[in-house]
Amino acid sequence: MLTLASDTLRIAALAGGVGGARLADGLQEALEAGALSVIVNTGDDFKLWGLHISPDLDTVMYTLAGLADPVQGWGLERDTWMTLEMVERYGRDPWFRLGDMDLATHILRTQMLNEGRSITEATGDLAAALGVPSHILPMCNEEVQTKVSTPDGMLDFQEYFVRRRHADPVTGISYQYSLVPQMTPQVGLAIEEAGAIVLCPSNPFVSIDPILQVEGMRAALARSSAPIVAVSPIVGGAAVKGPAADMMRSLGHEVSPVGVARLYRGLVDGMVIDTVDGALAPRIRDLGMEVEVTRTVMKDRAGRQALAADVMNFCRRLGPAKERAQA
C-alpha cells in the first residue's frame, strides 16, 4: 500500500453521496495536504425552513473532516435531534433528518449566501473551519435542481429519495435552473492541474451526471491529459448503497459494471470493478477501456485506504490519456 500522506500526485475527484465521500477520504489520506480536489454534486441541494441544505457537500465535508457518522455515512457522529423533536411538537413533519449540530452548518451557509457569498466561497470557509486539508468544490455556483420522473409524476430529488424512500420507479431524470450552470474557475483549475481524475463510486445518474452537465465540464475533461478512471458503484448486480441499481434497471440499463461502463464510454480511460465482477472485465475492455479488478467495497478505513491506493496505482499504469473527442 502507498505510504499515507506522502504521495505527490494531484487528483480531481467527482463525487456525491456516501460512497464517493468514503473514497475521497481514502484519497485524502494517501495524498499530500491540498493535493485532492473533490468536485461535488449540488443537484440535490434544496431549501427547508428557509435554510439552504447541501446534502452531498456536507457528506463529503463531514467525512473528510473525520466527523461523519460512521454507521449511516451521512450527518455528524453523536449528533442529537432535539430541534426536530420540537418541530414535530409544532405539528410539522420532520421528514428530512437534520441533527442539532448539523443545523449549524445550514444556518451559517444560508447566512453567507444571503450576504452575497457564492456556494463555492461558503463551502471553502466551512471546510477550512473544520480543518479539511482538501479542496471541496461545488460543481457550480448556480442553483440546479435534480428532478425525478416517476409514474406518479415529477418529483424533487429529496422528495423521491428521502420522503418517499426512493421506492418509486424512475422513468427519467432532468435538471431545472434559472441560470445555466457554469464551471467555476476553481473547478477548471482543479481539472487542469490534476495528474489523475477519478469518478468516485457514486450514483451515475443523480451524483455524477449533474456534474457532467455543467457547462464546460465535459470539454475540460476531454482536454485533460490526465487518465480518467471510474469506480463502479454496482457490485454483484446491486448498489453498495442507495438507489443506483434500481435506477439503472428502471431506465433500461444493465445492472452491472458493464452497464456503468457504457454510461461512461468515451469519457473514461479505465474502470475499477470489484473482484466479484471480475469475469465482466473482458466485456468492459471491449468498450475501449482498461480494467482494474480489486476490492471496492469499503467496509472500514483500511478498505478506503486500500481502494484509494489501487485507484492511484491504476492511474499511474494508464499514464497520460490518449486524445479524447471534444465534448
Side-chain angles (χ1 to χ4, degrees), residues 7-64:
D7 202 284
T8 58
L9 184 68
R10 297 189 70 86
I11 291 181
L14 279 61
V18 173
R22 287 175 172 169
L23 177 55
D25 186 46
L27 292 169
Q28 176 176 265
E29 289 203 40
L31 296 168
E32 291 184 343
L36 174 67
S37 296
V38 190
I39 302 165
V40 184
N41 165 54
T42 57
D44 61 353
D45 285 19
F46 72 115
K47 289 183 172 60
L48 181 66
W49 304 319
L51 298 176
H52 185 109
I53 316 296
S54 297
D56 277 0
L57 280 174
D58 291 341
T59 296
V60 171
M61 182 173 70
Y62 294 156
T63 301
L64 296 189

Side-chain angles (χ1 to χ4, degrees), residues 235-247:
V235 176
V240 177
K241 193 175 183 68
D246 291 337
M247 283 186 171

Side-chain angles (χ1 to χ4, degrees), residues 37 63 73 104 166-167 190 210 219-220 297 302 304:
S37 296
T63 301
H166 50 83
V297 180
R304 301 179 194 186

